[in-house]
Amino acid sequence: SIRRAGGLTINEGQAFGQVRPAGDASPCDAWVVGSLGSGLAALTKALGQNSTPERMECFDISHTGGEGTVASCVVFEGGQPKKSDYRRFNIEGITPGDDYAAMHQALERRYARVKRGEAPMPDLLIIDGGPGQLTQARAVLEALELNRIHLLGIAKGVTRKAGLEQVIDGATGRVLALAPSDRALHLLQHIRDEAHRFAITGHRQRRGKQRTQSSLEGIEGIGPKRRRALLAHFGGLKGVRNAGVD
């Protein structure tokens, strides 16, 4: 068996209905609806709830040494990704590398909109992180009086191996007893992986843009309009660097 992201082997993934075609930019597109439904049912049971969390949102943070910090929010409804509701947040005004402050800022911006009725209220908020990140999430929800949103954290375990994550109830701090084969855990891993993919893609785009701009900003006599024209003409910073003198 070949180990895949989220702790699934190929055989396990097939049994769960998870098929990921080569080169697919987003693994979400290939999930089978029936398997997502069974994962959602298992998650409802694991949470000890009578009603299924119909709308779920998951947040992750990505940066390189504090540079170009981006937070992602991915949305699942009925166990399926709703990409039209995905959002990214460019994080500003924090100490570089402070993931707690980054998470707090992203959640505050997102859920202030929810409070104003500008975005739907999720049933479940999933945070990629442990107790520290959950503390930030809980503080934001309490300040905005959004206490009906169920809060979960998914953190790497002591060994940091896929399939051995800890799922923490944000209200009680209790670690849910989910076996590596549990479909509830598979669904949470899948949502977490999608949030990570969306965050890191946004971070790389932002970092690349920042580095391109900073490289050209140091050249005297080249203003914003000229920088844009040069990048468009030469197809990017690499093309500018390789251009000869004419």
Side-chain angles (χ1 to χ4, degrees), residues 10-213:
I10 285 180
N11 290 338
E12 288 167 343
Q14 290 171 342
F16 188 51
Q18 180 183 1
V19 183
R20 301 184 177 184
D24 186 8
S26 174
C28 286
D29 296 332
W31 270 51
V32 177
V33 173
S35 295
L36 285 168
S38 65
L40 196 56
L43 179 59
T44 303
K45 181 178 179 181
L47 295 175
Q49 295 184 333
N50 294 323
S51 58
T52 299
E54 176 63 23
R55 182 180 175 94
M56 299 179 284
E57 298 186 354
C58 183
F59 281 73
D60 190 20
I61 304 293
S62 182
H63 60 82
T64 301
E67 177 189 4
T69 303
V70 170
S72 68
C73 170
V74 300
V75 179
F76 280 61
E77 285 191 350
Q80 301 180 72
K82 188 176 182 181
K83 295 189 178 184
S84 61
D85 283 4
Y86 283 20
R87 295 292 183 272
R88 291 192 182 106
F89 303 87
N90 289 336
I91 304 301
E92 305 284 0
I94 66 168
T95 301
D98 187 343
D99 288 355
Y100 293 158
M103 182 65 75
H104 192 282
Q105 183 180 130
L107 292 171
E108 197 167 51
R109 288 164 60 183
R110 173 65 171 180
Y111 291 105
R113 292 190 67 241
V114 171
K115 178 74 173 180
R116 293 192 298 267
E118 297 172 4
M121 179 91 68
D123 302 301
L124 179 63
L125 168 58
I126 304 164
I127 301 296
D128 182 12
Q133 295 285 30
L134 282 174
T135 297
Q136 300 300 320
R138 192 160 47 243
V140 170
L141 295 182
E142 288 176 356
L144 294 171
E145 299 181 336
L146 297 176
N147 299 315
R148 58 152 286 191
I149 300 175
H150 199 115
L151 180 61
L152 280 185
I154 179 166
K156 294 180 176 65
V158 177
T159 63
R160 302 182 69 84
K161 291 182 178 179
L164 299 179
E165 292 90 343
Q166 289 187 330
V167 178
I168 307 167
D169 189 310
T172 65
R174 178 176 64 95
V175 176
L176 304 184
L178 299 179
S181 59
D182 196 309
R183 292 190 174 188
L185 179 59
H186 292 172
L187 177 59
L188 290 173
Q189 289 169 333
H190 179 59
I191 297 172
R192 185 271 319 275
D193 290 348
E194 177 69 350
H196 180 70
R197 180 197 67 80
F198 196 56
I200 199 167
T201 301
H203 158 62
R204 286 171 176 166
Q205 291 171 350
R206 186 184 186 197
R207 183 186 62 188
K209 183 177 180 181
Q210 288 176 333
R211 290 180 177 179
T212 298
Q213 289 176 338

